[in-house]
Amino acid sequence: QVQLVESGGGLIQAGGSLRLSCAASGSIFLINTMGWYRQAAGKQRELVAGITSGGRTNYADSVKGRFTISRDNAKNTVYLQMNSLKPEDTAVYYCNSIVTLVDLTAPRTYWGQGTQVTVSS
């Protein structure tokens, strides 16, 4: 139905920058909200940032001023620009999308496979 493919993770030194991308494909009529979550080892998954189809954004307090979420609706793609990275940002980052399919049934939530971000001190 819908596939989310993430890219852009990796190993980076503290203070550096990374850009994550997530492209959605499949039987998409409309992508409502897109977002990024992360899960560090031994911790629960948490919201990092979200963006609505209209461009309204929200961020976790821990990343405000350092991370920027954006989306390209024509490409069904969401991005996460991460600057001034800290070791505590180390986690698996997951893309999330709430999608209305072409059959116009109720919106459904989809997840990407996750991409590892490791920030060394």
Side-chain angles (χ1 to χ4, degrees), residues 17-35:
S17 299
L18 282 175
R19 188 191 194 208
L20 304 183
S21 300
C22 172
S25 62
S27 303
I28 299 169
F29 175 75
L30 173 68
I31 299 180
N32 303 301
T33 300
M34 304 186 83

Side-chain angles (χ1 to χ4, degrees), residues 3-85:
Q3 297 78 41
L4 301 180
V5 179
E6 299 143 340
S7 61
L11 174 64
I12 189 82
Q13 285 191 329
S17 299
L18 282 175
R19 188 191 194 208
L20 304 183
S21 300
C22 172
S25 62
S27 303
I28 299 169
F29 175 75
L30 173 68
I31 299 180
N32 303 301
T33 300
M34 304 186 83
W36 291 94
Y37 287 70
R38 66 186 181 188
Q39 188 167 17
K43 295 187 177 181
Q44 289 189 330
R45 191 173 297 188
E46 62 175 359
L47 174 68
V48 176
I51 184 167
T52 67
S53 57
R56 187 165 54 194
T57 60
N58 64 291
Y59 295 92
D61 288 343
S62 59
V63 305
K64 284 181 180 176
R66 300 188 298 122
F67 291 10
T68 302
I69 189 170
S70 61
R71 63 188 282 176
D72 184 333
N73 291 330
K75 295 181 179 180
N76 288 337
T77 299
V78 63
Y79 306 96
L80 185 68
Q81 178 67 43
M82 305 185 292
N83 298 329
S84 302
L85 282 160

